[in-house]
Amino acid sequence: MDEMTRWIDLEGAVNARDLGGLPTRDGGRTRRGRIFRADNLQGLTSGDVTLLVDELGLRHVVDLRSNAEVSLEGPGPLTRVTEVRHHHLTLFAEGGRHTDVEADAIDGERVLPWAERGLDEELRVTGFYFGYLRDRPDAVVAALRAMALDDGASLVHCAAGKDRTGVLSALALEVAGATREAIVEDYVATGERLELILKRLRGSDTYRDDLDSRPADDHMPRAGYIEQFLGVLDDRFGGPLEWLAAHGWTGTDTEAMRSRLRD
């Protein structure tokens, strides 16, 4: 792991990094080596697995992909590692377009949240983000709880490690007390690897058509997307923590996350 940039250099994934090292509202920094985020883990090499499990102490993988993605792509090499526990928690609804029901039949043309287009790009993207919270609040809370487990490092991922992973990472950082500027910084950092991410996903039949239907620049994670997402949570619910509390998140959960990500 690069101690200066938070990036984790892997042969089989290109968007892996540590949620540690980010400024907090009380003047501290989030703790390194506790929670990681990444793109699809299908291509991890044996060396990658050794680095993650033996050197970084990975014990929990939170997989946010849809049932379709797991069926089409496979569960990945870490599922064969007995020390690692997997938590598959899709953020897609159980019925309708872009959902596990449609996807499970492997007859839907799209399985990714970026496939639809709308009139306003910022509203389109944050609309998907609120769709995760609206349709699968149970999965959002369960994923955050899994990320906060204290018996080893955890890693949250989806396909690109951008939207679904970006939302969960932002919520985890918010609970831990990271500054909003730091949360935005972490979200947009995926843009540094976007070309590599798209190249990798285009090598998969699962994602190629969805990606090629839009210009590459449309996939860029922009600060306004996550700022609007968090701002609406502030305005409508009093903040991300208040939304979480309304869906079963407890003070004990908050303490668990803060003990994971705070010194």
Coordinates of all heavy atoms in Angstrom, one line a residue, residues 51 67 112 117-118 164 189 216:
L51 N -1.4 -10.2 -0.4 CA -1.2 -8.8 0.1 C -2.4 -8.4 1.0 O -2.2 -7.9 2.1 CB -1.1 -7.8 -1.1 CG -1.1 -6.4 -0.7 CD1 0.1 -6.0 0.2 CD2 -1.1 -5.5 -2.0
N67 N -27.2 -9.4 -7.9 CA -27.2 -10.9 -8.1 C -26.8 -11.2 -9.5 O -26.1 -12.2 -9.7 CB -28.5 -11.5 -7.8 CG -28.8 -11.5 -6.3 OD1 -27.9 -11.3 -5.5 ND2 -30.1 -11.6 -5.9
L112 N -26.2 -2.2 -14.5 CA -25.4 -1.2 -13.8 C -26.3 0.0 -13.6 O -27.2 0.4 -14.3 CB -24.2 -0.8 -14.6 CG -23.1 -1.9 -14.8 CD1 -22.0 -1.4 -15.6 CD2 -22.6 -2.3 -13.4
R117 N -30.3 7.5 -18.7 CA -29.9 8.9 -18.9 C -31.1 9.7 -18.5 O -32.2 9.3 -18.6 CB -29.5 9.2 -20.3 CG -28.3 8.5 -20.8 CD -27.8 9.1 -22.1 NE -27.4 10.5 -21.8 CZ -26.1 10.9 -21.9 NH1 -25.2 10.0 -22.1 NH2 -25.8 12.1 -21.6
G118 N -30.8 10.9 -18.0 CA -31.8 11.8 -17.5 C -31.6 13.2 -18.1 O -30.6 13.5 -18.7
R164 N -21.9 2.9 -6.1 CA -22.3 2.1 -4.9 C -21.3 2.2 -3.8 O -21.6 2.5 -2.6 CB -22.7 0.7 -5.3 CG -23.9 0.6 -6.2 CD -24.1 -0.7 -6.8 NE -23.1 -1.0 -7.9 CZ -23.1 -2.1 -8.7 NH1 -24.0 -3.0 -8.5 NH2 -22.3 -2.2 -9.7
A189 N -11.6 10.9 -6.0 CA -10.3 10.3 -6.3 C -10.4 9.1 -7.3 O -9.4 8.9 -8.0 CB -9.7 9.7 -5.0
A216 N -17.0 8.4 -22.2 CA -16.3 8.1 -21.0 C -16.4 9.2 -20.0 O -16.4 8.9 -18.8 CB -14.8 7.9 -21.4

